[in-house]
Amino acid sequence: MLRTGRKHQRDAVRQPWQLLVFSVGERRLAVRTSEVSGISQWNESIPVAGRTPFVTAVVRQGQTVLPVFDLAAFLHLTVQGSSLLCLRVKHPLGEMAMCIDEEIPVLHTFDPAAIQTYHGKDLPAEGSYTNGLDEIPILAVPRLGSTA
Amino acid sequence: MDIQESMRGAPSPVSLLRFLIVVVGGRYLALNTESISGLLTLEETGNVENPTVHGMVYGTLNLADRLSLSHDADGANTRVVLLSEGETRGSIRVPMVQGLLELQPIQVLPLPLQFHGAERQWYRGVILFAKTIALVINTTWLLNEQVSALESGGARKHSSACNDPTISMNDSRIC
């Protein structure tokens, strides 16, 4: 029983991480696919006057109104491309939209052993992985908007 | 023109909410007609800053300032919306009135929770309008800010929102 339990625990820990890798201002970032609810063309956002840092607009998608987290402004970057994309993520307070570069996001699967601690302070991250010389941070979606 | 009076002839279910949709600083804003006493042209107000109607002074509220929106110049379509809740009155200039919208309370969507700043006081929700949205202005907040400014010379009034007149919204009460 104990051995089975331990094996199960080890398997759970070793579950590969499925990541969606995308770009904002040509900077590569990743997010767990389990926290992604969709990708679509970016429609013009509707500004909402307010005082919440980096949440200053909404997008309307049919009958749904989603708050926009301005990830590019948060990172002091500017989204690149003429056909920008809308990344919808599952935030604990409700679904949220982010405008990302037009570059088509890529799916990657990683062994958890390849995930390391992200030491940068510029964004909330669950960790990071190395791709060549680049360190790609994995966004901690639940902390977006609360660390600003 | 008294908006509430003009709508009395049209029977409709009690639960419906009516909003005047206006454009300020390029944004669509919605004002609950329960708080609207009148809609005047600049000429009808006598082009004065604080219009007086039936002996009641409606002090000017600068909505664009309150919401940090760009200022619109007065034009041919500028209207003055008279607001009142209980004994509190005020008026706002709007460069354009888009029209009236009648909605079920359920059609007023809550402001997404990710907006956690002062704006939660400013808006009562979101309305799907045309292909965009209109933000429902919290007229109680707007009018109370006016009272605060007048009573304390710009200092914030120290009072609970629950002491203020309540307005039905989404089948619930503000307080």
Side-chain angles (χ1 to χ4, degrees):
Chain A
M1 280 293 280
L2 274 174
R3 188 178 296 167
T4 308
R6 261 194 235 118
K7 182 179 182 297
H8 177 77
Q9 195 175 21
R10 195 169 59 230
D11 288 348
V13 170
R14 288 205 167 184
Q15 281 283 327
W17 283 36
Q18 290 193 314
L19 301 177
L20 183 85
V21 182
F22 62 97
S23 301
V24 171
E26 296 183 345
R27 180 175 175 188
R28 285 194 179 281
L29 302 164
V31 63
R32 293 177 82 136
T33 53
S34 58
E35 291 178 329
V36 174
S37 51
I39 300 170
S40 55
Q41 286 293 317
W42 177 256
N43 294 323
E44 202 59 44
S45 61
I46 305 158
V48 174
R51 297 275 186 267
T52 306
F54 308 109
V55 184
T56 56
V58 294
V59 283
R60 180 172 168 185
Q61 297 193 338
Q63 301 298 299
T64 307
V65 176
L66 297 177
V68 175
F69 183 79
D70 194 343
L71 186 58
F74 183 77
L75 297 170
H76 308 288
L77 297 170
T78 305
V79 282
Q80 300 293 311
S82 53
S83 303
L84 301 172
L85 298 175
C86 176
L87 176 63
R88 289 167 63 153
V89 294
K90 299 171 192 170
H91 190 274
L93 296 177
E95 217 177 328
M96 198 162 73
M98 295 188 290
C99 184
I100 63 172
D101 291 356
E102 69 177 352
E103 191 181 335
I104 302 296
V106 180
L107 285 170
H108 280 298
T109 302
F110 286 92
D111 188 302
I115 309 296
Q116 61 209 27
T117 303
Y118 181 66
H119 295 291
K121 304 284 184 203
D122 55 342
L123 53 83
E126 289 190 46
S128 66
Y129 71 92
T130 305
N131 182 15
L133 293 174
D134 286 341
E135 184 184 20
I136 315 289
I138 302 161
L139 276 182
V141 170
R143 282 157 51 203
L144 283 177
S146 59
T147 56
Chain B
M1 175 174 67
D2 185 329
I3 283 181
Q4 288 173 352
E5 201 168 285
S6 69
M7 289 190 301
R8 270 179 211 135
S12 57
V14 177
S15 62
L16 287 179
L17 298 171
R18 295 181 189 90
F19 296 96
L20 184 73
I21 308 294
V22 300
V23 183
V24 176
R27 316 282 168 83
Y28 288 106
L29 302 173
L31 298 161
N32 192 323
T33 58
E34 281 184 27
S35 304
I36 297 178
S37 308
L39 185 62
L40 305 172
T41 61
L42 289 174
E43 290 74 29
E44 286 170 324
T45 65
N47 272 311
V48 294
E49 194 171 330
N50 300 312
T52 303
V53 179
H54 301 309
M56 307 282 193
V57 179
Y58 292 79
T60 297
L61 304 162
N62 196 323
L63 188 55
D65 269 358
R66 295 282 162 76
L67 301 179
S68 307
L69 298 175
S70 60
H71 286 254
D72 304 288
D74 288 339
N77 295 321
T78 299
R79 295 290 181 272
V80 177
V81 184
L82 305 180
L83 300 170
S84 68
E85 288 179 7
E87 294 302 307
T88 316
R89 283 176 292 278
S91 62
I92 53 171
R93 285 188 186 200
V94 296
M96 191 185 292
V97 172
Q98 204 68 28
L100 274 172
L101 200 58
E102 205 170 46
L103 296 173
Q104 302 278 354
I106 198 170
Q107 291 176 284
V108 180
L109 309 173
L111 188 69
L113 290 170
Q114 283 87 349
F115 291 95
H116 54 69
E119 65 273 14
R120 296 210 72 79
Q121 291 288 313
W122 304 353
Y123 309 117
R124 287 207 175 118
V126 177
I127 290 172
L128 301 181
F129 174 71
K131 289 186 175 177
T132 181
I133 61 145
L135 290 154
V136 180
I137 293 294
N138 179 357
T139 43
T140 304
W141 161 77
L142 189 62
L143 288 165
N144 285 339
E145 290 282 310
Q146 161 82 347
V147 170
S148 303
L150 289 175
E151 286 184 350
S152 59
R156 288 288 167 98
K157 184 185 175 188
H158 184 71
S159 71
S160 158
C162 293
N163 294 328
D164 301 321
T166 57
I167 292 179
S168 60
M169 191 69 185
N170 278 335
D171 287 336
S172 63
R173 311 293 285 183
I174 295 299
C175 298

